[in-house]
């Protein structure tokens, strides 16, 4: 069941509770940027709610994709980019499969995450995942419990990934280096220490 979120930042919590729309909060360029990065016509959203109804995250959290679609259309940039719920989408694309307006809400969320990243607004666990991928090629490295379970099932202890072929890790690092993702993760994480 969805539960009330306990935002540590009380100012943000208060702002997110406030349902009023203030034109001074609106940045019309935000919608244009989201559409350009996401390559999807977010302005076509007519708030039917099919996306939220399809979303596996919605029943388990306070995350509502329809709300983010509305924030995009209204240009509520700061509100959208500072909302921790932005990071609760699993990118399963169920909403994109079902949107009757052929919008890709998933790509709207991804575009917003890109914009948030440019402002260094990224949850620390996402940044730590980047560091893990850089180190091992995986966001969730294998461990002894998984290895034992795999062997019990008649599988090899290591899956057919960089766990088994660590020689491919430098290739993954090269890709992350190209986008400076690891450097950025290190930089933002160091700032909070
Ligand atoms: S399903 Fe599509 S049109 Fe309906 S609320 Fe979601 S994004 Fe908007
Ligand atoms: S892609 Fe994200 S927003 Fe869409 S249904 Fe999946 S979890 Fe929900």
């Amino acid at each position: 069941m969805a539960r009330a979120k306990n935002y540590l930042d009380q100012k943000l919590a208060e702002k997110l509770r406030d349902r009023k729309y203030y034109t001074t909060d609106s940045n019309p360029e935000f919608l244009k940027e989201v559409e350009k990065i996401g390559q999807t016509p977010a302005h076509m959203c007519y708030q039917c709610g099919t996306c939220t109804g399809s979303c596996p995250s919605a029943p388990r959290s306070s995350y509502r994709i329809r709300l983010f679609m509305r924030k995009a259309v209204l240009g509520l940039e700061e509100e959208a980019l500072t909302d921790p719920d932005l990071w609760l989408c699993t990118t399963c694309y169920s909403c994109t499969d079902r949107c009757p307006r052929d919008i890709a809400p998933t790509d709207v969320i991804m575009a917003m995450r890109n914009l948030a990243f440019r402002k260094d607004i990224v949850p620390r666990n996402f940044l730590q995942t980047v560091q893990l991928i850089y180190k091992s090629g995986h966001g969730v490295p294998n461990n002894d419990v998984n290895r034992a379970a795999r062997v019990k099932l008649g599988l090899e202890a290591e899956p057919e990934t960089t766990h088994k072929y660590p020689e491919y890790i430098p290739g993954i690092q090269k890709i992350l280096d190209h986008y400076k993702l690891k450097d950025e993760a290190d930089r933002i994480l160091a700032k909070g220490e």
Side-chain angles (χ1 to χ4, degrees):
M1 284 299 289
R3 272 178 288 165
K5 258 194 147 30
N6 180 21
Y7 295 102
L8 293 177
D9 180 341
Q10 285 313 304
K11 228 171 121 194
L12 174 64
E14 206 175 301
K15 191 172 166 77
L16 290 171
R17 268 198 304 272
D18 183 355
R19 298 288 169 184
K20 291 193 187 83
Y21 168 63
Y22 300 95
T23 49
T24 46
D25 288 342
S26 179
N27 172 14
E29 294 305 310
F30 181 51
L31 176 63
K32 286 186 203 157
E33 274 195 279
V34 164
E35 292 197 335
K36 193 170 146 207
I37 298 169
Q39 291 289 295
T40 192
H43 68 278
M44 298 273 287
C45 173
Y46 60 175
Q47 287 288 291
C48 67
T50 305
C51 48
T52 299
S54 310
C55 180
S57 265
R60 294 170 181 83
S61 69
S62 55
Y63 175 52
R64 301 289 178 265
I65 172 64
R66 181 175 68 152
L67 198 60
F68 280 94
M69 294 306 298
R70 193 68 184 143
K71 285 176 183 174
V73 173
L74 294 177
L76 297 175
E77 179 178 16
E78 200 195 330
E79 217 176 280
L81 302 190
T82 56
D83 188 341
D85 285 359
L86 179 61
W87 303 88
L88 293 178
C89 167
T90 65
T91 64
C92 70
Y93 278 89
S94 300
C95 54
T96 299
D97 282 346
R98 292 174 186 157
C99 173
R101 304 299 303 248
D102 275 341
I103 305 165
T106 320
D107 295 339
V108 168
I109 288 294
M110 297 299 276
M112 287 183 181
R113 286 180 180 177
N114 271 278
L115 291 167
F117 207 128
R118 284 184 200 172
K119 293 173 183 265
D120 291 0
I121 310 170
V122 195
R124 295 179 74 79
N125 55 334
F126 276 67
L127 299 169
Q128 283 155 354
T129 302
V130 170
Q131 291 178 326
L132 268 177
I133 293 170
Y134 195 86
K135 199 170 148 201
S136 68
H138 289 264
V140 185
N142 209 5
N143 58 29
D144 288 343
V145 176
N146 283 344
R147 286 190 193 98
R150 287 178 62 85
V151 171
K152 206 171 160 191
L153 289 166
L155 300 166
E156 288 182 51
E158 303 292 356
E160 298 280 323
T161 62
T162 48
H163 287 311
K164 194 170 162 189
Y165 305 105
E167 61 271 30
Y168 289 106
I169 292 176
I172 290 170
Q173 291 175 341
K174 208 169 174 184
I175 295 168
L176 295 182
D177 284 340
H178 177 78
Y179 292 104
K180 297 189 172 52
L181 202 52
K182 163 76 164 36
D183 290 349
E184 286 296 286
D186 290 347
R187 180 183 63 77
I188 301 169
L189 280 170
K191 256 194 340 190
E193 279 162 4

